[in-house]
């Protein structure tokens, strides 16, 4: 009779160890998946920032050229069209920079789903142990 409760405790401990091991494996897989996605988002943000820099430099060249032409010709259409093109490129550069900055924020890299899942699993495990 003393073997019955002992074997059920060993069985429960074995089950708990297997479930804990499986849980840890699944949470590591979730963490890897989430971090891969977050790093991909970081690289997209970086590419957008590079794009913003390129458009910004082009916009500056066009705007400087437009200003020079405008000053040289005082109110002719060539200068006005160059200002419009330069303004549009500058707007594109600003939009790229804002999108890239948001994609590169530290909050984007935080593994929020993994953290939430680990809290839920810990709560479920503690309820199972206590109940």
């Amino acid at each position: 009779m003393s073997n019955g409760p002992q074997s059920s405790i060993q069985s429960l401990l074995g089950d708990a160890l297997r479930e804990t091991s499986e849980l840890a494996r699944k949470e590591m897989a979730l963490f890897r998946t989430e971090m891969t996605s977050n790093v991909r988002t970081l690289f997209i943000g970086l590419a957008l920032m590079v794009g913003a820099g390129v458009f910004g430099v082009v916009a500056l060249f066009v705007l400087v050229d437009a200003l020079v032409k405008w000053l040289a010709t005082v109110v002719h259409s060539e200068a006005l069209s160059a200002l419009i093109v330069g303004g549009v490129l500058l707007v594109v550069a600003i939009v790229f920079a804002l999108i890239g900055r948001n994609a590169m924020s530290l909050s984007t890299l935080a593994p929020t789903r993994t953290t939430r899942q680990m809290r839920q699993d810990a709560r479920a495990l503690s309820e199972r142990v206590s109940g």
Side-chain angles (χ1 to χ4, degrees):
M1 273 196 146
S2 66
N3 207 8
Q6 184 72 10
S7 70
S8 66
I9 290 174
Q10 288 175 346
S11 174
L12 286 174
L13 284 175
D15 289 346
L17 285 174
R18 275 190 298 281
E19 288 179 17
T20 302
S21 173
E22 180 68 17
L23 180 63
R25 188 186 63 73
K26 285 180 180 178
E27 287 183 354
M28 283 304 296
L30 176 62
F31 177 78
R32 275 192 302 271
T33 300
E34 190 170 6
M35 288 308 293
T36 299
S37 173
N38 292 348
V39 168
R40 188 176 300 124
T41 301
L42 178 70
F43 281 123
I44 289 170
L46 183 61
L48 287 171
M49 291 299 285
V50 168
V54 168
F55 276 100
V57 168
V58 170
L60 284 175
F61 286 144
V62 171
L63 287 171
V64 167
D65 184 47
L67 182 60
V68 169
K69 288 179 181 179
W70 179 77
L71 288 173
T73 59
V74 181
V75 182
H76 288 87
S77 63
E78 185 180 342
L80 182 58
S81 66
L83 283 171
I84 291 170
V85 170
V88 168
L89 288 174
L90 188 58
V91 168
V92 169
I94 290 169
V95 168
F96 279 5
L98 292 174
I99 293 170
R101 184 186 69 190
N102 288 338
M104 290 175 47
S105 70
L106 288 178
S107 64
T108 303
L109 291 176
T112 55
R113 293 182 305 221
T114 302
T115 304
R116 184 176 53 241
Q117 186 63 46
M118 288 179 75
R119 277 193 214 115
Q120 288 174 353
D121 293 343
R123 208 174 315 124
L125 194 59
S126 68
E127 288 172 2
R128 212 166 168 199
V129 168
S130 65

